[in-house]
Amino acid sequence: MRPKDKIAYFYDGDVGSVYFGPNHPMKPHRLCMTHHLVLAYDLHKKMEIYRPHKAYPVELAQFHSADYVEFLHRITPDTQHLFSNELARYNLGEDCPVFENLFEFCQIYAGGTIDAARRLNNQLCDIAINWAGGLHHAKKCEASGFCYINDLVLGILELLKYHARVLYIDIDVHHGDGVEEAFYFTDRVMTVSFHKYGDMFFPGTGDVKDIGEREGKFYAINVPLKDGIDDTSFTRLFKTIISKVVEMYQPGAIVLQCGADSLAGDRLGCFNLSIDGHAECVRIVKKFNLPLLVTGGGGYTKENVARCWTVETGVLLDTELPNEIPENEYIKYFAPECLLNIPNGHIENLNSKSYISTIKMQVLENLRCIQHAPGVQMQEVPPDFFIPDFDEDEQNPDERMDRK
């Protein structure tokens, strides 16, 4: 029997205290709720818990343009009125507002995903979890869809130092456009996104016909779905496609974005997935026994996000959780029933059997076009980031450089 997986979990309480503003659907507070639920179920006792380092600007600039990173670093709510041209250029505004501690928020969630990738690379764990990460819409030079820094791309770039091929899987209700775009021309990363497509649904990309270009042709896979997909059709389709992808592509590591806006009852979503259905995807991916980096993503009914990611933490730990939610700081959010399971959605399922079958056939057909597992000449491994020089006098002595 395989030894039990070693799991690293990254969390910084500061990430849950930022505020996007009134009426904005993104509530980072959901991360505090998730963490407290994980604690209430005693799951922390089965994992190694780390506080991530705050990613340096030079680390963020491994993907993002230096000018964009610099602007995010400088801009504050008080000064933004002076920079209307730049705000427009970098797509900051209504969806992606400038708020207090924005840059530090980005540094923490990106640092978590980078640290997760490094621990996997150094074989210090088998699975690494960063529920604060998964901000898949951010582009090289601009913010998009509530995302400013694309931590997933940064984590994948880190994994590519040690792995010839990395598989990215996205089960957020929105297309993983930022990650797909970053790796659209390479066969070193295969991106697979299951998402709602059509009816002008954000971000409007992710057609089954978008398959990558040049060296990346056939290495982007899109599974466009309609409103109301349920557990049975989603998990069956997921298992069929992902099993074939792993067999054909033979990745050295997997990154799984677990956006919880694909759950029934999400404020912005339109699927009918139960938490069990969503978590089944995590279970399927875990069974491949490959180094696995798991992140959060979207999710706008925050008590359900916390339920979902707690259950999925349990799945990764092979731990069944009792349905009755234990006493915790946020118990009132789960009232009156205080149960983990959520009711099934009631949106009509517009995904006919023939539609699903057609999509499946198209995806499997495209997969047949890839040469079995592309090889890559691995060069000498670039180092993990050298910590840039800093003046010790400027450092706050309370912020030690260690991880915990």
Side-chain angles (χ1 to χ4, degrees), residues 14-29 77 97-102 105 148 302:
D14 291 347
V15 87
S17 54
V18 300
Y19 184 51
F20 276 61
N23 309 320
H24 196 290
M26 178 60 97
K27 311 279 185 206
H29 180 241
V98 174
F99 51 79
E100 209 63 59
N101 300 320
L102 164 61
F105 172 68
Y148 303 83
K302 60 186 186 173

Side-chain angles (χ1 to χ4, degrees), residues 41 307 323-326 331-340:
Y41 276 107
R307 288 177 164 107
N323 194 23
E324 191 153 323
I325 293 176
I331 193 79
K332 64 175 190 294
Y333 287 94
F334 305 102
E337 297 88 2
C338 296
L339 301 177
L340 264 189

Side-chain angles (χ1 to χ4, degrees), residues 98-273:
V98 174
F99 51 79
E100 209 63 59
N101 300 320
L102 164 61
F103 192 66
E104 188 186 26
F105 172 68
C106 295
Q107 287 179 293
I108 294 170
Y109 77 71
T113 300
I114 293 167
D115 284 351
R118 288 186 185 151
R119 284 198 85 77
L120 288 166
N121 279 345
N122 294 314
Q123 298 180 359
L124 296 170
C125 61
D126 304 297
I127 298 172
I129 303 171
N130 178 27
W131 293 125
L135 281 80
H136 58 174
H137 297 305
K139 308 290 197 303
K140 182 183 169 85
C141 304
E142 65 176 45
S144 174
F146 319 157
C147 305
Y148 303 83
I149 291 291
N150 199 316
D151 62 290
L152 293 156
V153 171
L154 296 169
I156 291 167
L157 289 172
E158 202 63 40
L159 291 168
L160 287 172
K161 294 177 182 179
Y162 285 71
H163 298 282
R165 293 174 302 283
V166 174
L167 170 61
Y168 171 72
I169 304 170
D170 189 316
I171 58 171
D172 193 288
V173 77
H174 301 97
H175 176 228
D177 57 341
V179 184
E180 175 181 282
E181 186 178 295
F183 300 110
Y184 207 60
F185 300 111
T186 179
D187 56 11
R188 298 232 11 232
V189 180
M190 179 173 275
T191 58
V192 188
S193 179
F194 296 78
H195 49 267
K196 152 82 178 180
Y197 179 74
D199 311 323
M200 310 276 290
F201 193 73
F202 185 85
T205 48
D207 193 330
V208 72
K209 296 200 249 331
D210 299 333
I211 56 172
E213 288 174 33
R214 304 205 295 253
E215 281 80 74
K217 190 171 184 184
F218 303 119
Y219 293 92
I221 293 178
N222 284 297
V223 185
L225 301 165
K226 302 176 190 293
D227 287 6
I229 195 157
D230 56 30
D231 287 352
T232 311
S233 0
F234 191 90
T235 55
R236 191 181 293 156
L237 186 60
F238 182 88
K239 188 170 188 177
T240 304
I241 289 173
I242 295 302
S243 303
K244 197 66 186 167
V245 163
V246 171
E247 177 198 333
M248 296 293 284
Y249 188 61
Q250 293 173 28
I254 300 179
V255 176
L256 175 60
Q257 195 269 22
C258 297
D261 46 9
S262 41
L263 291 175
D266 187 80
R267 182 172 160 189
L268 299 185
C270 50
F271 285 177
N272 279 334
L273 299 186

